[in-house]
Amino acid sequence: MDPGTKLGPYEITEQLGAGGMGEVYLAQDSRLGRKVAIKVLPAEFASDPERLARFEQEARAAAALNHPHIAVVHDIGTENGTHFMVQEYLEGDTLREPLQRGALPLKKALGLATEIAEALAAAHAAGIIHRDLKPENIFVTKEGHAKVLDFGLAKLTEVAGAGSPGGATQSPTMMGTVAGQVMGTAGYMAPEQVEGSDKIDHRADLFAFGCVLYEMVSGVRAFSGRSIAETLAHIQHDDSQPIQESDPSLPDELQRIVRKSLAKEPAKRYQTAGDLVVDIQALGTDVESGVAALPATPVAVETSRGIPWKLAAPIAILLVVVAALLGWWAREPEPGSTIRLQLDPLVDTIMSGLGSAVVLSPDGRHVAYVDGAPNTGGRALYLRALDQQDSTTLASSATTAGSPYHPFFSPDGQWVGFVTPAELKKAPITGGTPQSIAPVERSRGADWGPDDTIVFAPNPASGLFVVSAVEGEPGPLTELSEGERSHRWPQFLPGGKAVLFTSAGTGGFDRANLEVVDLATGDRQVVHRGGTYGRYVPTGHLVYSNAGALFVVPFDLDTLETTGSPIPVVENLPADDQGGVSFDFSETGMLIYHMRNGGASSGFQLAWVDRDGQVEPLPFEPRESQYLDLSPDDQRIALTIRGDDGEWDIWIYEIERGGSQVLLTTEGNNRNPVWSPDGEWLFFRSNRGGNFDIFKRRADRSLEAELVLDTEANVYPMSISDDGEMLLFASGLFGNQDVGILALDTGDTEILVDTPDDEFWASFSPDGRFFAFHSNETGQYEVYVREVSSGRTFPVSTSTRGGWWPLWSRDGREIYYRSFNSPGILVAEVDLESFSASDPVELSDIEMRAIGNFDVTADGQKFLVTVPVGTDETGGTAPGTRLNVVLNWFEELNRLVPTGGS
């Protein structure tokens, strides 16, 4: 935001800072003639309901407080779509700045501690818990007083009451109401926060206060480790070192206050911040008067053996240490305890499909993740240090001329590589312009080797290539054999001499092979059959995904052979036929994976949504589903559902007849159901004959399925003309699909849209003269209409919004579609005579499944969609995306699946 920009009566002067929850500017209040600090929610998050709720909650929580040691919130507002909060302007530094130089003088530390505790007491009395107290959120003014900042993680408790400015009803569900969700900053979280407990109260703030007080008087953190996992484990299981180890002159009473604040069990801590204030003030008085009890100073006396006491005590301590070490060496080592927790990625949707969208740095200190659905124009790549709450944007569609996906770290953790539909790129974790490495065409994965070589799949239907991460021309590594459709998702094995990858044929990725290729010779070896996205784990295991689950099998790195049977270790993950389970692990033994609330199979439910966005869930059990089609009489739903065996089948749901469910297909993988205009037949794609061809079967199942279109081109049925004579289909592999037409009486076919780009999801106009489809001809998907006879093509969506999954209304007057910058459904009015389309209007902002089609009733008043489980009649949902973390996962793998020598 440039100097001179006005937000209501406030004129921006300069930028003061930025973080994941907003940018902070110095501004001038023209009404009162004073300086103010304005926190502005970044534009890319303004449409994010979850972030917006957190931003507004911070303002309400802080505005509800009136205390000299809490930063004052003056105002909150919106100007031309910009959401902002106005706060008092403070001059000074955060507490972190002086702590970087070491411990504070004791009197200064106690004075600030008293003011911080008084601020917490006032907040707790108002029913507000901070939940992220740390030196970065405590400001020390130039006069030397404390101001507590940032109530963005505050959980409003029942004390506030529903009607108060910060009432409990204003608290978004992501603010810690989900059991197992971790909120806060590593190193300052209470043990109950680390455990993800849903019973967090004000005593968590008192533990964080103890951490801050410990650091102020000792100059070191109360709990720290070489990794986030180690830090959190210390919080849960270890006591902090006595503060007198850093400064023997510190009073015993101060050690008692710190120890009581840092008690593992909330019941053993201080029960109120007010009690803390009393004890700290009393200690401050004693220190000021010089009567504070200090540690006893040893007196130099002779022992019976002539050893001075000053030496006797250290020798005794040394003997104790040696004895402890000998005992530790002799005992059987205990396996590391496994800790499970959840992290909030601060986005609505983690991308699914096209490989893992969540990756860890080798040292486990950073996570990179991608939000949004595949192939949309609005995705972004984020980086988050796991000891911080905020994320930063490394790349977005606005900065990379294409949406980023499939991130991967460099071996030193200083770079994040990623791909866009057109380029292989890298970005430094410190920020900056992403750098291009090599051209691609919708890559299917990459990995960074120890010698700065990157191996990658340049497109969805090719072998693997290698290229220097610095500069150079890509060179081929593998070639497709007969029957193979793709080599993808590579991973360098230890030593960088061989690469593990997925080899997929036409039978689907659940029946793919995991292979290894020698970089020097090019020799290939199949190491496991069945599954995709294989990853070697240093414990001597292979981990791979299959049918929405992670499987693990022992693996001998010398012989490149599995040495046991696979078992599932994580199940019910969101996945698709592209091998799209998002998981990764660090060299420190941390596992991270993406799971929707309730798992994948219960993540979405069928529902009606009217044109105003009102939701009416349908009485069907949520199941993992993809494509749907509403029968011409609006009474039945044909739906693609993944079964327990991992195969996709077509089911028919009866809406009015008691909600019965009928299985239409039982052989092979079956998808893309399309009703005939008379409602008697269902057309669908199936690989029961080897390739994906088009079949049809009577909806009453009185006849077996029969082949309609036999081709080698991998086809999808999409729409049938109202006269029942013509069927639109897509042909080709994802990323390079074309639209064709099939005469159902003669079997003749013609490709109508044949380009190097990706065209998909066609829908006939009711009169059969036109069809709508989406294409990425411009670099992102747009909706177009094409006249069948002449081939003339007309744009419908605009490049500023993008669009895909078009659907024609039954009366032919409207085209509905989805957009990248709007969560719901857009509608454009069309004139079939001239052909022309109006500017799109958003009908509803209901959150739907990120990728997939929808349908509409004959009268155009209700839409059949899939929405996250828990969506209510207003369109609100429970949090839909979580990143699950398992600490000490390597130890758990060795216990679950012993390798016999690893």
Side-chain angles (χ1 to χ4, degrees):
M1 191 170 294
D2 297 328
T5 302
K6 291 187 177 181
L7 298 176
Y10 311 104
E11 183 174 343
I12 300 297
T13 304
E14 62 179 288
Q15 184 169 355
L16 297 176
M21 275 304 298
E23 301 164 346
V24 182
Y25 295 89
L26 175 63
Q28 185 72 18
D29 184 343
S30 62
R31 295 174 304 182
L32 301 178
R34 62 182 175 184
K35 293 180 179 180
V36 294
I38 294 186
K39 178 178 279 191
V40 174
L41 191 64
E44 60 265 31
F45 302 140
S47 59
D48 184 330
E50 198 166 345
R51 285 207 174 201
L52 186 57
R54 288 186 60 201
F55 183 80
E56 292 176 348
Q57 183 188 11
E58 178 181 344
R60 292 191 184 98
L65 302 173
N66 183 14
H67 191 273
H69 300 303
I70 296 176
V72 176
V73 172
H74 298 307
D75 194 6
I76 183 172
T78 303
E79 184 80 13
N80 297 324
T82 298
H83 299 267
F84 62 92
M85 180 179 70
V86 184
Q87 181 178 293
E88 67 172 310
Y89 173 62
L90 301 171
E91 293 185 273
D93 286 307
T94 69
L95 181 58
R96 174 59 65 204
E97 274 69 31
L99 289 182
Q100 289 177 341
R101 298 187 290 272
L104 304 182
L106 180 57
K107 292 181 182 179
K108 178 65 175 176
L110 292 178
L112 290 175
T114 300
E115 295 175 345
I116 297 166
E118 289 175 343
L120 291 178
H124 295 170
I128 297 172
I129 308 170
H130 193 288
R131 291 166 60 87
D132 194 28
L133 187 71
K134 57 187 176 182
E136 288 80 1
N137 285 337
I138 299 168
F139 200 88
V140 181
T141 67
K142 65 179 183 179
E143 292 82 15
H145 295 292
K147 291 269 190 176
V148 179
L149 313 172
D150 195 356
F151 280 81
L153 290 178
K155 176 184 178 182
L156 308 184
T157 64
E158 294 177 354
V159 177
S164 70
T169 57
Q170 300 296 325
S171 181
T173 55
M174 59 85 66
M175 289 293 101
T177 62
V178 180
Q181 178 183 346
V182 170
M183 302 296 292
T185 300
Y188 302 91
M189 291 190 291
E192 60 268 28
Q193 287 177 290
V194 174
E195 294 166 1
S197 171
D198 60 347
K199 302 186 186 309
I200 307 296
D201 62 22
H202 63 281
R203 291 172 293 184
D205 282 352
L206 304 186
F207 185 94
F209 172 87
C211 294
V212 173
L213 177 58
Y214 185 104
E215 195 167 349
M216 284 197 293
V217 298
S218 70
V220 296
R221 299 195 184 194
F223 303 99
S224 64
R226 292 168 296 179
S227 66
I228 305 305
E230 193 173 301
T231 299
L232 297 180
H234 285 326
I235 289 175
Q236 282 196 299
H237 304 294
D238 302 330
D239 291 330
S240 59
Q241 296 298 314
I243 56 173
Q244 288 147 340
E245 285 195 2
S246 62
D247 184 354
S249 68
L250 292 174
D252 287 337
E253 174 64 5
L254 178 58
Q255 172 61 32
R256 184 194 69 81
I257 293 173
V258 169
R259 185 172 59 248
K260 187 172 182 179
S261 300
L262 296 180
K264 304 297 184 190
E265 300 177 25
K268 294 182 179 180
R269 287 178 214 144
Y270 282 95
Q271 297 302 291
T272 70
D275 292 340
L276 256 174
V277 172
V278 171
D279 282 0
I280 295 173
Q281 284 180 331
L283 175 59
T285 300
D286 290 345
V287 169
E288 188 72 29
S289 62
V291 298
L294 301 177
T297 302
V299 179
V301 297
E302 296 292 324
T303 68
S304 60
R305 297 195 177 187
I307 301 176
W309 173 249
K310 281 187 176 181
L311 295 179
I315 290 174
I317 293 173
L318 177 62
L319 291 175
V320 171
V321 171
V322 171
L325 288 174
L326 291 174
W328 172 82
W329 187 264
R331 68 181 171 89
E332 184 73 20
E334 298 179 1
S337 58
T338 299
I339 301 174
R340 300 178 185 276
L341 46 88
Q342 292 180 329
L343 298 177
D344 178 4
L346 302 183
V347 298
D348 282 336
T349 306
I350 291 291
M351 175 182 166
S352 62
L354 306 186
S356 183
V358 178
V359 292
L360 285 168
S361 60
D363 62 7
R365 293 181 177 273
H366 292 87
V367 58
Y369 58 93
V370 179
D371 74 323
N375 306 303
T376 66
R379 282 201 311 268
L381 171 62
Y382 298 92
L383 180 74
R384 173 176 170 181
L386 286 180
D387 62 350
Q388 298 294 323
Q389 182 64 29
D390 295 336
S391 300
T392 57
T393 304
L394 286 183
S396 68
S397 56
T399 62
T400 60
S403 296
Y405 64 98
H406 191 76
F408 56 99
F409 275 94
S410 61
D412 62 6
Q414 296 304 301
W415 294 84
V416 177
F418 62 95
V419 294
T420 72
E423 287 188 291
L424 173 66
K425 289 176 170 285
K426 64 179 182 179
I429 65 170
T430 53
T433 302
Q435 302 175 20
S436 297
I437 298 174
V440 297
E441 295 180 7
R442 306 193 175 280
S443 169
R444 291 299 179 262
D447 193 37
W448 198 316
D451 61 349
D452 261 354
T453 294
I454 292 178
V455 59
F456 65 103
N459 63 65
S462 75
L464 301 176
F465 279 65
V466 292
V467 67
S468 168
V470 181
E471 61 181 353
E473 291 294 322
L477 175 61
T478 65
E479 294 183 359
L480 298 181
S481 303
E482 185 177 355
E484 291 183 314
R485 60 178 283 195
S486 177
H487 292 169
R488 55 180 63 193
W489 318 138
Q491 179 207 18
F492 278 97
L493 292 180
K497 304 301 183 183
V499 170
L500 176 71
F501 67 96
T502 299
S503 169
T506 59
F509 286 91
D510 49 356
R511 291 191 290 276
N513 293 329
L514 301 181
E515 296 193 31
V516 169
V517 58
D518 187 297
L519 288 175
T521 66
D523 294 339
R524 290 167 50 183
Q525 178 177 337
V526 176
V527 298
H528 183 74
R529 298 187 184 276
T532 184
Y533 203 78
R535 288 296 182 262
Y536 175 76
V537 187
T539 53
H541 296 90
L542 278 185
V543 177
Y544 63 90
S545 65
N546 196 340
L550 289 186
F551 287 80
V552 60
V553 60
F555 183 73
D556 189 318
L557 193 60
D558 294 327
T559 63
L560 300 179
E561 295 178 347
T562 58
T563 59
S565 299
I567 69 167
V569 290
V570 182
E571 299 184 78
N572 295 322
L573 299 180
D576 60 22
D577 61 346
Q578 298 287 311
V581 170
S582 285
F583 77 95
D584 195 24
F585 53 87
S586 68
E587 294 176 357
T588 60
M590 180 191 301
L591 170 70
I592 191 167
Y593 60 92
H594 165 225
M595 178 180 282
R596 301 187 193 100
N597 281 353
S601 60
S602 60
F604 291 91
Q605 62 190 15
L606 286 169
W608 292 118
V609 178
D610 65 21
R611 295 174 79 97
D612 295 324
Q614 296 298 307
V615 181
E616 179 189 348
L618 286 164
F620 300 112
E621 177 187 1
R623 301 179 67 179
E624 187 178 1
S625 61
Q626 282 193 334
Y627 302 101
L628 57 84
D629 199 40
L630 186 61
S631 64
D633 62 1
D634 296 338
Q635 297 302 306
R636 293 170 292 173
I637 302 168
L639 188 66
T640 303
I641 292 177
R642 188 195 288 271
D644 295 336
D645 60 357
E647 302 282 7
W648 293 93
D649 283 305
I650 310 298
W651 287 71
I652 300 175
Y653 285 7
E654 300 279 355
I655 298 175
E656 298 297 336
R657 299 178 185 175
S660 65
Q661 304 170 28
V662 177
L663 178 63
L664 182 76
T665 62
T666 57
E667 181 183 353
N669 266 303
N670 308 276
R671 310 183 190 191
N672 297 81
V674 178
W675 287 96
S676 63
D678 58 11
E680 295 184 4
W681 295 84
L682 272 167
F683 292 73
F684 56 94
R685 74 187 295 245
S686 176
N687 67 348
R688 62 188 62 195
N691 295 319
F692 275 105
D693 300 317
I694 296 178
F695 291 77
K696 71 174 182 178
R697 189 181 185 188
R698 290 190 66 90
D700 61 9
R701 301 187 299 172
S702 60
L703 297 174
E704 292 300 317
E706 59 183 87
L707 183 64
V708 175
L709 179 59
D710 183 3
T711 175
E712 299 290 328
N714 192 44
V715 290
Y716 305 74
M718 291 180 293
S719 180
I720 299 177
S721 59
D722 278 4
D723 59 13
E725 295 181 359
M726 309 298 288
L727 180 145
L728 287 169
F729 63 91
S731 172
L733 294 175
F734 181 76
N736 185 21
Q737 298 168 119
D738 299 311
V739 176
I741 192 168
L742 166 68
L744 292 174
D745 57 345
T746 66
D748 294 335
T749 62
E750 179 185 359
I751 300 299
L752 300 177
V753 187
D754 183 2
T755 75
D757 304 307
D758 196 44
E759 289 84 27
F760 193 63
W761 207 254
S763 174
F764 265 123
S765 63
D767 60 9
R769 292 173 49 209
F770 301 91
F771 64 91
F773 65 100
H774 67 238
S775 170
N776 65 348
E777 177 185 9
T778 65
Q780 71 172 6
Y781 284 101
E782 307 282 358
V783 174
Y784 300 88
V785 165
R786 189 179 184 95
E787 189 173 36
V788 176
S789 60
S790 68
R792 292 185 302 162
T793 302
F794 311 90
V796 175
S797 62
T798 63
S799 58
T800 57
R801 307 192 75 167
W804 59 348
W805 304 99
L807 174 66
W808 219 298
S809 67
R810 307 273 184 95
D811 62 9
R813 298 177 181 176
E814 295 178 325
I815 293 178
Y816 315 105
Y817 62 93
R818 302 187 60 182
S819 171
F820 315 130
N821 300 322
S822 302
I825 296 171
L826 298 177
V827 58
E829 296 182 359
V830 294
D831 180 352
L832 293 180
E833 295 302 323
S834 55
F835 180 86
S836 61
S838 68
D839 291 335
V841 175
E842 187 172 12
L843 292 181
S844 70
D845 60 358
I846 180 69
E847 179 188 355
M848 295 186 289
R849 183 185 175 110
I851 181 171
N853 70 311
F854 58 96
D855 211 338
V856 66
T857 55
D859 60 8
Q861 297 304 304
K862 291 199 301 184
F863 298 90
L864 178 67
V865 300
T866 49
V867 296
V869 169
T871 302
D872 59 26
E873 65 277 2
T874 66
T877 65
T881 290
R882 289 293 175 264
L883 297 181
N884 289 32
V885 175
V886 181
L887 308 181
N888 297 320
W889 183 59
F890 287 175
E891 286 82 353
E892 182 178 69
L893 274 188
N894 282 323
R895 292 196 300 270
L896 291 174
V897 191
T899 59
S902 172

